[in-house]
Coordinates of all heavy atoms in Angstrom, one line a residue:
M28 N 3.0 -6.0 23.9 CA 3.7 -5.5 22.8 C 5.1 -6.2 22.6 O 5.5 -6.3 21.4 CB 4.0 -4.0 23.0 CG 2.7 -3.2 22.8 SD 2.9 -1.4 23.0 CE 3.9 -1.0 21.6
K29 N 5.6 -6.7 23.6 CA 6.9 -7.4 23.5 C 6.8 -8.7 22.7 O 7.7 -9.2 22.1 CB 7.5 -7.7 24.9 CG 8.1 -6.5 25.6 CD 8.6 -6.8 26.9 CE 9.2 -5.6 27.6 NZ 9.7 -6.0 28.9
A30 N 5.6 -9.4 22.9 CA 5.4 -10.6 22.2 C 5.1 -10.5 20.7 O 5.1 -11.5 20.0 CB 4.2 -11.4 22.9
Y31 N 4.7 -9.3 20.3 CA 4.4 -9.1 18.9 C 5.6 -9.3 18.0 O 6.7 -8.9 18.3 CB 3.7 -7.8 18.7 CG 3.2 -7.5 17.3 CD1 2.1 -8.2 16.8 CD2 3.8 -6.6 16.4 CE1 1.6 -8.0 15.6 CE2 3.3 -6.4 15.2 CZ 2.2 -7.1 14.7 OH 1.7 -6.9 13.5
H32 N 5.5 -9.9 16.8 CA 6.6 -10.2 15.9 C 7.2 -9.0 15.3 O 8.4 -9.0 15.0 CB 6.1 -11.1 14.8 CG 7.1 -11.4 13.8 ND1 8.3 -12.1 14.1 CD2 7.2 -11.2 12.5 CE1 9.0 -12.2 13.0 NE2 8.4 -11.7 12.0
W33 N 6.5 -7.9 15.1 CA 7.0 -6.6 14.4 C 7.7 -6.9 13.1 O 8.9 -6.6 12.9 CB 8.0 -5.9 15.4 CG 7.3 -5.4 16.6 CD1 7.4 -5.9 17.9 CD2 6.2 -4.4 16.7 NE1 6.6 -5.3 18.7 CE2 5.8 -4.3 18.1 CE3 5.6 -3.6 15.8 CZ2 4.9 -3.5 18.5 CZ3 4.6 -2.7 16.3 CH2 4.3 -2.7 17.6
P34 N 7.0 -7.4 12.1 CA 7.6 -7.7 10.8 C 8.1 -6.4 10.1 O 9.0 -6.5 9.3 CB 6.5 -8.4 10.0 CG 5.2 -8.0 10.7 CD 5.6 -7.8 12.2
G35 N 7.5 -5.2 10.4 CA 7.9 -4.0 9.8 C 9.0 -3.2 10.6 O 9.4 -2.1 10.3
N36 N 9.4 -3.8 11.7 CA 10.4 -3.3 12.6 C 10.1 -1.9 13.1 O 8.9 -1.6 13.5 CB 11.8 -3.3 11.9 CG 12.3 -4.7 11.6 OD1 11.9 -5.6 12.4 ND2 13.0 -4.8 10.6
L37 N 11.0 -0.9 13.1 CA 10.8 0.4 13.7 C 9.7 1.2 13.0 O 9.0 1.9 13.6 CB 12.1 1.2 13.7 CG 12.1 2.5 14.4 CD1 11.7 2.3 15.9 CD2 13.5 3.1 14.4
R38 N 9.7 1.1 11.7 CA 8.6 1.9 10.9 C 7.2 1.4 11.3 O 6.3 2.2 11.5 CB 8.8 1.7 9.4 CG 10.0 2.5 8.9 CD 10.1 2.4 7.4 NE 11.3 3.2 7.0 CZ 11.7 3.2 5.8 NH1 11.0 2.6 4.9 NH2 12.8 3.9 5.5
E39 N 7.1 0.1 11.5 CA 5.8 -0.4 11.9 C 5.4 0.0 13.3 O 4.3 0.4 13.5 CB 5.7 -1.9 11.8 CG 4.3 -2.5 12.1 CD 4.2 -4.0 12.0 OE1 5.2 -4.6 11.8 OE2 3.1 -4.5 12.2
L40 N 6.4 0.0 14.2 CA 6.2 0.4 15.5 C 5.7 1.9 15.6 O 4.8 2.3 16.2 CB 7.4 0.2 16.4 CG 7.4 0.8 17.8 CD1 6.3 0.1 18.6 CD2 8.7 0.6 18.5
A41 N 6.4 2.7 14.8 CA 6.1 4.2 14.7 C 4.7 4.4 14.2 O 3.9 5.2 14.7 CB 7.1 4.9 13.9
H42 N 4.4 3.6 13.2 CA 3.0 3.7 12.6 C 1.9 3.3 13.6 O 0.9 4.0 13.7 CB 2.9 2.9 11.3 CG 1.6 2.8 10.7 ND1 1.0 3.9 10.0 CD2 0.6 1.9 10.7 CE1 -0.2 3.6 9.6 NE2 -0.5 2.4 10.0
K43 N 2.2 2.2 14.3 CA 1.2 1.7 15.3 C 1.0 2.7 16.4 O -0.1 3.0 16.9 CB 1.6 0.4 15.9 CG 1.6 -0.8 14.9 CD 0.2 -1.2 14.6 CE 0.2 -2.5 13.7 NZ -1.1 -3.0 13.4
I44 N 2.1 3.4 16.8 CA 2.0 4.4 17.9 C 1.2 5.6 17.4 O 0.3 6.1 18.1 CB 3.4 4.8 18.4 CG1 4.1 3.6 19.1 CG2 3.3 6.0 19.3 CD1 5.5 3.8 19.5
E45 N 1.5 6.0 16.2 CA 0.8 7.2 15.6 C -0.7 6.9 15.5 O -1.5 7.7 15.9 CB 1.4 7.5 14.3 CG 0.8 8.7 13.6 CD 1.4 9.1 12.3 OE1 2.4 8.5 11.9 OE2 0.8 9.9 11.6
R46 N -1.0 5.7 15.0 CA -2.4 5.3 14.8 C -3.1 5.2 16.2 O -4.2 5.7 16.3 CB -2.4 3.9 14.1 CG -3.8 3.5 13.8 CD -3.7 2.1 13.0 NE -5.0 1.8 12.4 CZ -6.0 1.1 13.1 NH1 -5.7 0.7 14.3 NH2 -7.1 0.8 12.5
A47 N -2.4 4.7 17.1 CA -3.0 4.5 18.5 C -3.3 5.9 19.1 O -4.3 6.1 19.7 CB -2.1 3.7 19.4
V48 N -2.4 6.8 18.9 CA -2.6 8.2 19.5 C -3.7 8.9 18.8 O -4.6 9.5 19.4 CB -1.3 9.0 19.3 CG1 -1.5 10.5 19.6 CG2 -0.2 8.5 20.2
I49 N -3.9 8.7 17.5 CA -4.9 9.4 16.7 C -6.3 8.7 17.0 O -7.3 9.4 17.3 CB -4.7 9.3 15.2 CG1 -3.4 10.2 14.9 CG2 -5.9 9.8 14.4 CD1 -2.9 10.1 13.5
L50 N -6.3 7.4 17.0 CA -7.6 6.7 17.2 C -8.0 6.3 18.6 O -9.1 5.9 18.9 CB -7.6 5.4 16.3 CG -7.5 5.7 14.8 CD1 -7.4 4.3 14.1 CD2 -8.6 6.5 14.3
G51 N -7.0 6.4 19.5 CA -7.3 6.0 20.9 C -8.3 6.9 21.5 O -8.3 8.1 21.3
E52 N -9.2 6.4 22.4 CA -10.2 7.1 22.9 C -10.0 7.7 24.3 O -10.5 8.6 24.7 CB -11.5 6.3 22.9 CG -12.0 6.0 21.5 CD -13.3 5.3 21.5 OE1 -14.0 5.2 22.5 OE2 -13.6 4.7 20.4
G53 N -9.1 7.1 25.0 CA -8.8 7.5 26.4 C -7.5 8.4 26.4 O -6.9 8.6 25.4
E54 N -7.2 8.8 27.7 CA -6.0 9.6 27.8 C -4.7 8.7 27.9 O -3.6 9.2 27.8 CB -6.1 10.5 29.1 CG -7.1 11.6 28.9 CD -7.1 12.6 30.1 OE1 -6.1 12.6 30.8 OE2 -8.1 13.2 30.2
V55 N -4.9 7.4 28.2 CA -3.9 6.5 28.4 C -4.0 5.4 27.3 O -5.1 4.9 27.1 CB -3.9 5.8 29.8 CG1 -2.8 4.7 29.9 CG2 -3.7 6.9 30.8
L56 N -3.0 5.1 26.5 CA -3.1 4.1 25.5 C -3.0 2.7 26.1 O -2.3 2.4 27.1 CB -1.9 4.2 24.5 CG -1.8 5.5 23.7 CD1 -0.6 5.6 22.9 CD2 -3.1 5.7 22.9
T57 N -3.9 1.8 25.6 CA -3.9 0.4 26.1 C -3.5 -0.5 24.9 O -3.3 0.0 23.8 CB -5.3 0.0 26.5 OG1 -6.2 0.1 25.4 CG2 -5.8 1.0 27.6
G58 N -3.3 -1.8 25.2 CA -2.9 -2.7 24.2 C -3.9 -2.8 23.0 O -3.6 -3.0 21.9
E59 N -5.2 -2.6 23.4 CA -6.3 -2.6 22.3 C -6.1 -1.5 21.3 O -6.5 -1.6 20.2 CB -7.6 -2.6 23.0 CG -7.9 -3.8 23.8 CD -9.2 -3.6 24.6 OE1 -9.9 -2.6 24.5 OE2 -9.6 -4.6 25.3
D60 N -5.5 -0.4 21.8 CA -5.4 0.8 20.9 C -4.3 0.5 19.8 O -4.3 1.2 18.7 CB -4.9 2.0 21.7 CG -6.0 2.5 22.6 OD1 -7.1 2.5 22.2 OD2 -5.6 3.0 23.7
F61 N -3.5 -0.5 19.9 CA -2.4 -0.8 19.0 C -2.8 -1.8 17.9 O -2.0 -2.0 17.0 CB -1.2 -1.2 19.7 CG -0.5 -0.1 20.5 CD1 -0.9 0.1 21.8 CD2 0.4 0.7 19.9 CE1 -0.3 1.2 22.5 CE2 1.0 1.7 20.6 CZ 0.6 2.0 21.9
S62 N -3.9 -2.5 18.0 CA -4.4 -3.4 17.0 C -3.3 -4.4 16.6 O -2.9 -4.5 15.4 CB -4.8 -2.7 15.7 OG -5.9 -1.8 16.0
L63 N -2.7 -5.1 17.6 CA -1.6 -6.0 17.3 C -2.1 -7.5 17.1 O -1.2 -8.3 16.9 CB -0.6 -6.0 18.5 CG 0.0 -4.6 18.8 CD1 0.9 -4.7 20.0 CD2 0.8 -4.2 17.6
S64 N -3.3 -7.7 17.1 CA -3.8 -9.1 17.0 C -3.9 -9.7 15.6 O -4.0 -10.8 15.4 CB -5.2 -9.2 17.7 OG -6.1 -8.4 17.0
A65 N -3.7 -8.8 14.6 CA -3.8 -9.3 13.2 C -2.6 -10.2 12.9 O -1.5 -9.8 13.1 CB -3.8 -8.1 12.2
P66 N -2.9 -11.4 12.4 CA -1.8 -12.3 12.1 C -1.0 -11.8 10.8 O -1.5 -11.1 10.0 CB -2.5 -13.7 11.7 CG -3.9 -13.3 11.4 CD -4.2 -12.0 12.2
V67 N 0.3 -12.2 10.7 CA 1.1 -11.8 9.6 C 0.5 -12.2 8.3 O 0.6 -11.5 7.3 CB 2.5 -12.3 9.8 CG1 3.4 -12.0 8.6 CG2 3.1 -11.7 11.1
A68 N 0.0 -13.5 8.2 CA -0.5 -14.0 6.9 C -1.6 -13.1 6.4 O -1.7 -12.9 5.2 CB -1.0 -15.4 7.2
E69 N -2.5 -12.5 7.3 CA -3.5 -11.6 6.8 C -3.0 -10.4 6.2 O -3.4 -9.9 5.2 CB -4.5 -11.3 8.0 CG -5.6 -10.4 7.6 CD -6.5 -10.1 8.8 OE1 -6.7 -11.0 9.6 OE2 -7.0 -9.0 8.9
S70 N -1.9 -9.9 6.8 CA -1.3 -8.7 6.3 C -0.7 -8.9 4.9 O -0.8 -8.1 4.0 CB -0.1 -8.2 7.2 OG -0.6 -7.9 8.4
V71 N -0.2 -10.1 4.7 CA 0.4 -10.4 3.4 C -0.7 -10.5 2.3 O -0.6 -10.0 1.2 CB 1.2 -11.8 3.4 CG1 1.6 -12.2 2.0 CG2 2.4 -11.6 4.3
S72 N -1.8 -11.1 2.7 CA -2.9 -11.2 1.7 C -3.5 -9.9 1.4 O -3.9 -9.6 0.3 CB -4.0 -12.2 2.2 OG -4.7 -11.7 3.3
V73 N -3.6 -9.0 2.3 CA -4.1 -7.6 2.1 C -3.1 -6.9 1.1 O -3.5 -6.3 0.2 CB -4.2 -6.8 3.4 CG1 -4.5 -5.4 3.1 CG2 -5.4 -7.4 4.2
S74 N -1.8 -7.1 1.4 CA -0.8 -6.5 0.5 C -1.0 -7.0 -0.9 O -0.9 -6.3 -1.9 CB 0.6 -6.8 1.0 OG 1.5 -6.3 0.1
T75 N -1.2 -8.3 -1.1 CA -1.3 -8.9 -2.4 C -2.6 -8.4 -3.1 O -2.5 -8.0 -4.3 CB -1.4 -10.4 -2.3 OG1 -0.2 -10.9 -1.6 CG2 -1.5 -11.1 -3.6
R76 N -3.7 -8.2 -2.3 CA -4.9 -7.7 -2.9 C -4.7 -6.2 -3.3 O -5.2 -5.8 -4.4 CB -6.0 -7.8 -1.9 CG -6.6 -9.2 -1.9 CD -7.8 -9.3 -1.0 NE -7.3 -9.5 0.4 CZ -7.9 -9.3 1.5 NH1 -9.2 -8.9 1.5 NH2 -7.4 -9.5 2.7
M77 N -3.9 -5.5 -2.6 CA -3.7 -4.1 -2.9 C -2.9 -4.0 -4.2 O -3.1 -3.2 -5.0 CB -3.0 -3.4 -1.8 CG -3.8 -3.1 -0.6 SD -5.3 -2.1 -0.9 CE -4.5 -0.6 -1.3
D78 N -1.9 -4.9 -4.3 CA -1.1 -5.0 -5.6 C -2.0 -5.3 -6.8 O -1.9 -4.7 -7.8 CB 0.0 -6.0 -5.5 CG 1.2 -5.6 -4.6 OD1 1.2 -4.4 -4.3 OD2 2.0 -6.4 -4.3
D79 N -2.9 -6.2 -6.6 CA -3.9 -6.6 -7.7 C -4.7 -5.4 -8.0 O -5.0 -5.1 -9.2 CB -4.8 -7.7 -7.2 CG -4.0 -9.1 -7.1 OD1 -2.9 -9.2 -7.7 OD2 -4.5 -10.0 -6.5
V80 N -5.2 -4.6 -7.0 CA -6.0 -3.4 -7.3 C -5.2 -2.4 -8.1 O -5.7 -1.8 -9.0 CB -6.6 -2.9 -6.0 CG1 -7.2 -1.5 -6.2 CG2 -7.6 -3.8 -5.4
E81 N -4.0 -2.2 -7.6 CA -3.1 -1.2 -8.3 C -2.8 -1.6 -9.7 O -2.9 -0.8 -10.6 CB -1.8 -1.0 -7.5 CG -0.9 0.0 -8.1 CD 0.3 0.3 -7.3 OE1 1.1 -0.7 -7.0 OE2 0.6 1.4 -7.0
K82 N -2.6 -2.9 -9.9 CA -2.3 -3.4 -11.3 C -3.5 -3.1 -12.2 O -3.4 -2.6 -13.3 CB -1.9 -4.8 -11.3 CG -1.7 -5.4 -12.6 CD -1.3 -6.9 -12.6 CE -1.1 -7.5 -13.9 NZ -0.8 -8.9 -13.9
Q83 N -4.7 -3.5 -11.7 CA -5.9 -3.3 -12.5 C -6.2 -1.9 -12.8 O -6.6 -1.5 -13.9 CB -7.1 -4.0 -11.9 CG -7.0 -5.5 -11.9 CD -6.8 -6.1 -13.3 OE1 -7.4 -5.7 -14.2 NE2 -5.8 -7.0 -13.4
T84 N -5.9 -1.0 -11.8 CA -6.2 0.4 -12.0 C -5.2 1.0 -13.1 O -5.7 1.8 -13.9 CB -5.9 1.2 -10.7 OG1 -6.8 0.6 -9.7 CG2 -6.2 2.7 -10.8
I85 N -4.0 0.5 -13.1 CA -3.0 1.0 -14.1 C -3.5 0.5 -15.5 O -3.4 1.3 -16.4 CB -1.6 0.5 -13.7 CG1 -1.1 1.3 -12.5 CG2 -0.7 0.7 -14.9 CD1 0.2 0.7 -11.9
I86 N -3.9 -0.7 -15.6 CA -4.3 -1.3 -16.8 C -5.5 -0.5 -17.4 O -5.5 -0.1 -18.6 CB -4.6 -2.8 -16.7 CG1 -3.3 -3.6 -16.5 CG2 -5.4 -3.3 -17.9 CD1 -3.6 -5.1 -16.1
Q87 N -6.5 -0.2 -16.5 CA -7.6 0.5 -17.0 C -7.2 1.9 -17.4 O -7.7 2.4 -18.4 CB -8.7 0.6 -15.8 CG -9.4 -0.6 -15.6 CD -10.4 -0.5 -14.5 OE1 -10.2 0.2 -13.5 NE2 -11.6 -1.1 -14.6
A88 N -6.4 2.6 -16.7 CA -5.9 3.9 -17.0 C -5.2 3.9 -18.4 O -5.4 4.9 -19.2 CB -5.1 4.5 -15.9
I89 N -4.4 2.9 -18.6 CA -3.7 2.8 -19.9 C -4.7 2.7 -21.0 O -4.6 3.4 -22.1 CB -2.6 1.7 -19.9 CG1 -1.5 2.0 -18.9 CG2 -2.1 1.4 -21.3 CD1 -0.6 0.8 -18.7
R90 N -5.7 1.9 -20.8 CA -6.7 1.7 -21.9 C -7.5 3.0 -22.1 O -7.7 3.3 -23.2 CB -7.7 0.6 -21.5 CG -7.0 -0.8 -21.6 CD -8.0 -1.9 -21.2 NE -7.4 -3.2 -21.3 CZ -7.7 -4.2 -20.5 NH1 -8.7 -4.1 -19.7 NH2 -7.1 -5.4 -20.6
M91 N -7.9 3.6 -21.0 CA -8.6 4.9 -21.1 C -7.8 6.0 -21.9 O -8.4 6.8 -22.5 CB -9.1 5.4 -19.7 CG -10.1 4.6 -19.1 SD -10.6 5.1 -17.4 CE -10.8 6.8 -17.6
N92 N -6.5 5.9 -21.7 CA -5.7 6.9 -22.4 C -5.0 6.4 -23.6 O -4.1 7.0 -24.1 CB -4.6 7.4 -21.4 CG -5.2 8.3 -20.3 OD1 -5.6 9.4 -20.5 ND2 -5.3 7.7 -19.1
Q93 N -5.6 5.3 -24.2 CA -5.2 4.7 -25.4 C -3.7 4.5 -25.5 O -3.1 4.7 -26.6 CB -5.7 5.6 -26.6 CG -7.2 5.7 -26.6 CD -7.7 6.7 -27.6 OE1 -7.0 7.5 -28.1 NE2 -9.0 6.6 -27.8
G94 N -3.1 4.0 -24.5 CA -1.7 3.7 -24.4 C -0.7 4.8 -24.2 O 0.5 4.6 -24.2
N95 N -1.3 6.0 -24.1 CA -0.4 7.2 -23.9 C 0.0 7.2 -22.4 O -0.8 7.5 -21.5 CB -1.2 8.5 -24.3 CG -0.3 9.7 -24.2 OD1 0.5 9.8 -23.3 ND2 -0.5 10.7 -25.1
L96 N 1.3 6.9 -22.2 CA 1.7 6.7 -20.8 C 1.9 8.1 -20.1 O 1.8 8.1 -18.9 CB 3.0 5.9 -20.8 CG 2.9 4.5 -21.3 CD1 4.2 3.8 -21.2 CD2 1.8 3.7 -20.6
S97 N 2.2 9.1 -20.8 CA 2.3 10.4 -20.2 C 0.9 10.8 -19.6 O 0.8 11.3 -18.5 CB 2.8 11.5 -21.2 OG 4.1 11.2 -21.5
K98 N -0.1 10.7 -20.4 CA -1.5 11.0 -20.0 C -1.9 10.0 -18.9 O -2.6 10.4 -17.9 CB -2.5 10.9 -21.1 CG -2.3 12.1 -22.1 CD -3.4 12.0 -23.2 CE -3.3 13.1 -24.2 NZ -4.3 13.0 -25.3
T99 N -1.5 8.8 -19.0 CA -1.9 7.8 -18.0 C -1.3 8.1 -16.6 O -2.0 8.1 -15.6 CB -1.4 6.4 -18.4 OG1 -2.0 6.0 -19.6 CG2 -1.7 5.3 -17.3
A100 N 0.0 8.5 -16.6 CA 0.7 8.9 -15.4 C 0.0 10.1 -14.8 O -0.2 10.1 -13.6 CB 2.2 9.2 -15.7
Q101 N -0.3 11.1 -15.6 CA -1.0 12.3 -15.1 C -2.3 11.9 -14.5 O -2.7 12.4 -13.4 CB -1.1 13.3 -16.2 CG -1.7 14.6 -15.8 CD -1.7 15.6 -16.9 OE1 -1.7 15.2 -18.1 NE2 -1.8 16.9 -16.6
A102 N -3.1 11.1 -15.2 CA -4.4 10.7 -14.7 C -4.3 9.9 -13.3 O -5.2 10.1 -12.5 CB -5.1 9.8 -15.7
L103 N -3.3 9.2 -13.2 CA -3.1 8.4 -11.9 C -2.4 9.2 -10.8 O -2.3 8.8 -9.7 CB -2.3 7.2 -12.2 CG -2.9 6.1 -13.1 CD1 -1.9 5.0 -13.5 CD2 -4.1 5.5 -12.4
G104 N -2.0 10.4 -11.2 CA -1.3 11.3 -10.2 C 0.1 10.8 -9.8 O 0.5 11.0 -8.7
M105 N 0.8 10.3 -10.8 CA 2.2 9.9 -10.5 C 3.1 10.3 -11.7 O 2.6 10.6 -12.7 CB 2.2 8.3 -10.3 CG 1.9 7.5 -11.5 SD 2.0 5.7 -11.3 CE 0.7 5.3 -10.2
G106 N 4.3 10.3 -11.4 CA 5.3 10.6 -12.5 C 5.4 9.5 -13.5 O 5.1 8.3 -13.2
R107 N 5.9 9.8 -14.7 CA 6.1 8.8 -15.7 C 7.1 7.7 -15.2 O 6.9 6.5 -15.5 CB 6.6 9.4 -17.0 CG 5.5 10.0 -17.8 CD 5.9 10.4 -19.2 NE 7.3 10.4 -19.4 CZ 8.0 11.3 -20.1 NH1 7.5 12.4 -20.5 NH2 9.3 11.1 -20.3
T108 N 8.1 8.1 -14.6 CA 9.1 7.1 -14.1 C 8.5 6.1 -13.1 O 8.7 4.9 -13.2 CB 10.3 7.8 -13.4 OG1 10.9 8.8 -14.3 CG2 11.4 6.9 -13.0
T109 N 7.6 6.6 -12.2 CA 6.9 5.8 -11.3 C 6.0 4.8 -12.1 O 6.0 3.6 -11.8 CB 6.1 6.6 -10.3 OG1 7.0 7.5 -9.6 CG2 5.4 5.7 -9.3
L110 N 5.3 5.3 -13.1 CA 4.4 4.5 -13.9 C 5.2 3.4 -14.6 O 4.9 2.2 -14.6 CB 3.7 5.3 -14.9 CG 2.7 4.5 -15.8 CD1 1.7 3.7 -15.0 CD2 2.1 5.4 -16.8
Y111 N 6.4 3.7 -15.2 CA 7.2 2.8 -15.9 C 7.7 1.7 -14.9 O 7.7 0.5 -15.2 CB 8.4 3.4 -16.5 CG 8.1 4.4 -17.6 CD1 8.8 5.5 -17.8 CD2 7.1 4.1 -18.5 CE1 8.6 6.4 -18.8 CE2 6.8 5.0 -19.6 CZ 7.5 6.1 -19.7 OH 7.2 7.0 -20.7
R112 N 8.0 2.1 -13.7 CA 8.5 1.1 -12.7 C 7.4 0.2 -12.3 O 7.6 -1.0 -12.1 CB 9.0 1.9 -11.4 CG 9.9 1.1 -10.6 CD 10.6 1.9 -9.5 NE 9.8 3.0 -8.9 CZ 10.1 4.3 -9.1 NH1 11.2 4.7 -9.7 NH2 9.4 5.3 -8.5
K113 N 6.1 0.7 -12.2 CA 5.0 -0.2 -11.8 C 4.6 -1.1 -13.0 O 4.2 -2.2 -12.7 CB 3.8 0.7 -11.3 CG 4.1 1.3 -10.0 CD 3.0 2.2 -9.5 CE 3.3 2.9 -8.2 NZ 3.4 2.0 -7.1
I114 N 4.7 -0.6 -14.2 CA 4.4 -1.4 -15.4 C 5.4 -2.6 -15.4 O 5.0 -3.8 -15.6 CB 4.5 -0.6 -16.7 CG1 3.3 0.3 -16.8 CG2 4.7 -1.5 -17.9 CD1 3.4 1.3 -17.9
E115 N 6.7 -2.3 -15.1 CA 7.7 -3.4 -15.0 C 7.4 -4.4 -13.9 O 7.5 -5.6 -14.0 CB 9.1 -2.8 -14.8 CG 10.2 -3.7 -14.6 CD 11.0 -4.0 -15.8 OE1 10.9 -3.3 -16.8 OE2 11.7 -5.0 -15.8
K116 N 7.1 -3.8 -12.7 CA 6.8 -4.6 -11.5 C 5.7 -5.6 -11.7 O 5.8 -6.8 -11.4 CB 6.5 -3.7 -10.3 CG 6.0 -4.4 -9.1 CD 5.6 -3.4 -8.0 CE 5.0 -4.1 -6.8 NZ 4.6 -3.2 -5.8
Y117 N 4.6 -5.1 -12.4 CA 3.4 -6.0 -12.6 C 3.4 -6.7 -13.9 O 2.5 -7.5 -14.2 CB 2.2 -5.1 -12.5 CG 2.0 -4.5 -11.1 CD1 1.8 -3.2 -10.9 CD2 2.0 -5.3 -10.0 CE1 1.6 -2.6 -9.7 CE2 1.8 -4.8 -8.7 CZ 1.6 -3.4 -8.6 OH 1.5 -2.8 -7.3
G118 N 4.5 -6.5 -14.7 CA 4.5 -7.2 -16.0 C 3.4 -6.8 -17.0 O 2.9 -7.7 -17.7
I119 N 3.0 -5.6 -17.0 CA 1.9 -5.1 -17.8 C 2.4 -4.9 -19.2 O 3.4 -4.3 -19.4 CB 1.3 -3.8 -17.2 CG1 0.7 -4.0 -15.8 CG2 0.3 -3.2 -18.2 CD1 0.4 -2.7 -15.1
Q120 N 1.6 -5.4 -20.2 CA 2.0 -5.3 -21.6 C 1.3 -4.0 -22.1 O 0.1 -3.8 -22.0 CB 1.4 -6.5 -22.4 CG 2.0 -7.8 -22.0 CD 3.5 -7.9 -22.3 OE1 4.0 -7.4 -23.3 NE2 4.3 -8.4 -21.4
V121 N 2.1 -3.1 -22.6 CA 1.6 -1.8 -23.2 C 1.6 -1.9 -24.7 O 2.6 -2.4 -25.3 CB 2.5 -0.6 -22.7 CG1 2.0 0.7 -23.3 CG2 2.6 -0.6 -21.2
L122 N 0.5 -1.5 -25.3 CA 0.4 -1.6 -26.8 C 1.4 -0.7 -27.5 O 1.8 0.3 -27.2 CB -1.0 -1.2 -27.2 CG -2.1 -2.1 -26.6 CD1 -3.5 -1.6 -27.0 CD2 -1.9 -3.5 -27.1

């Protein structure tokens, strides 16, 4: 665990511990329970893919709601302010 880079710092450590406690099969946690072998580059590509999925989901929801952002936000389960922020983040053009 000392050799791991910890790009997420304390939050990542807390998440890894929580995950290990929940998913660990024994009474004692081992290094394998922490899933520390994933390289940082893989994490970045997963994040990028998640952003792409989120962007496409927002675009589809906007189309389904004919550009009505209030209905779109409600359909996506988020507030309008959050939706506006994500539209800005992804550079989505709204009709």
Side-chain angles (χ1 to χ4, degrees):
M28 288 182 67
K29 288 181 181 180
Y31 186 69
H32 176 61
W33 297 109
N36 298 328
L37 187 57
R38 287 186 182 173
E39 182 179 7
L40 174 62
H42 176 73
K43 292 286 186 181
I44 292 171
E45 181 179 351
R46 184 176 191 275
V48 169
I49 292 170
L50 298 177
E52 295 184 12
E54 289 188 22
V55 176
L56 296 176
T57 66
E59 294 172 359
D60 293 323
F61 289 91
S62 304
L63 299 177
S64 61
V67 174
E69 182 178 321
S70 298
V71 171
S72 67
V73 169
S74 175
T75 303
R76 284 184 273 163
M77 291 300 294
D78 284 349
D79 291 341
V80 169
E81 183 175 51
K82 179 180 178 180
Q83 291 305 315
T84 301
I85 291 170
I86 290 170
Q87 285 180 324
I89 291 171
R90 287 182 183 151
M91 287 175 53
N92 290 287
Q93 301 172 343
N95 184 322
L96 297 182
S97 294
K98 287 182 180 179
T99 300
Q101 186 177 21
L103 292 170
M105 64 177 70
R107 281 191 349 224
T108 305
T109 302
L110 178 60
Y111 294 142
R112 201 171 32 245
K113 290 181 184 287
I114 287 171
E115 172 99 15
K116 173 183 176 183
Y117 297 123
I119 297 171
Q120 299 294 320
V121 180
L122 301 174

